[in-house]
Amino acid sequence: YYAIDVTDPSDPRYLWRINRFTSGFSELGQTWSEPIVAPVRMNNAGVETTYKAIIFGAGFDSAQADNPAVLAASAGRGVFIADVLTGSLLKSFTPAATTASPNNLNVAGMLYSIPSAVLAVDKSADGYVDRIYVGDLGGNLWRIGAPDGKDNLIDIWIVTKLFATNPGADGSTGRKIYYPPDIGFENTFDIVLFGTGDRDNPRATTTVDRVYGVKDFNQLTGFTTLTESSAGMENRTNTPF
């Protein structure tokens, strides 16, 4: 990732570059994830500080190119939040194997690459991101946000695996998530919509890919990951609305 200051369009200036050798970004894979620019808040040495940030998935594991199988990755596992002005790491969410940065939250189950862009949400409508949704190449949908009843400071955010598409209720597997979900807000829940597919193997025909709509009742703690077999899930493939 590169940043260029174009405040003066006639005199653009290089700001910074992020790669896997940048401090705190060793998990970075191929940079497929389009960065989202958004304001965030965090506790900085006891002071609540506002940052204009970029938020992006850790990328694609190049070792898995042209492989239709769903495989645990060695790179690209996680989500990064960085200062848009300096490129420095504000917060990351990566597997327990990558503990080099004090700003990292270890997520033991985050074992698959995340080439997707993220969906950043401001549920409290206070101007700051307080929730992130993103999928991985293991077919899992992740929710990242503040614990129940807490403020939206990114340094206390926790990670929840909201939904797992593999295996399906019929035992089928192979589903991957390459693109960000969408969301609709209701009175008592939010509906998260996303689809699976294989951007790296678009002509593959062996996997039964699907579009999902998942009700998120905003339970951030004590949550059990949903699947196709969870109570309330319906297969609407052949059912007209």
Side-chain angles (χ1 to χ4, degrees), residues 36-44 47-56 79-85 88-93 118-122 124 126-132 144-146 151-157:
I36 302 298
V37 180
V40 299
R41 296 171 61 242
M42 69 178 296
N43 190 325
N44 187 359
V47 178
E48 293 186 7
T49 306
T50 299
Y51 293 91
K52 181 64 69 68
I54 57 169
I55 309 172
F56 54 94
V79 173
F80 292 111
I81 304 177
D83 187 336
V84 76
L85 296 179
S88 60
L89 180 67
L90 297 176
K91 188 71 177 181
S92 59
F93 308 88
V118 307
L119 170 67
V121 177
D122 175 16
S124 61
D126 63 356
Y128 302 99
V129 172
D130 49 32
R131 188 76 57 85
I132 293 171
I144 305 174
D151 208 341
N152 57 8
L153 301 175
I154 63 173
D155 42 295
I156 62 171
W157 282 4

Side-chain angles (χ1 to χ4, degrees), residues 101-125:
S101 170
N103 293 336
N104 182 66
L105 176 66
N106 294 332
V107 186
M110 197 171 270
L111 303 176
Y112 301 92
S113 295
I114 299 182
S116 170
V118 307
L119 170 67
V121 177
D122 175 16
K123 279 189 60 63
S124 61

Side-chain angles (χ1 to χ4, degrees), residues 164-175 206-210 212 227-230 235 237:
T165 68
N166 295 310
D170 56 3
S172 61
T173 62
R175 283 170 285 276
T206 56
T207 299
V208 180
D209 285 302
R210 297 178 175 131
Y212 296 89
T227 69
E228 288 185 10
S229 299
S230 295
N235 184 350
T237 303

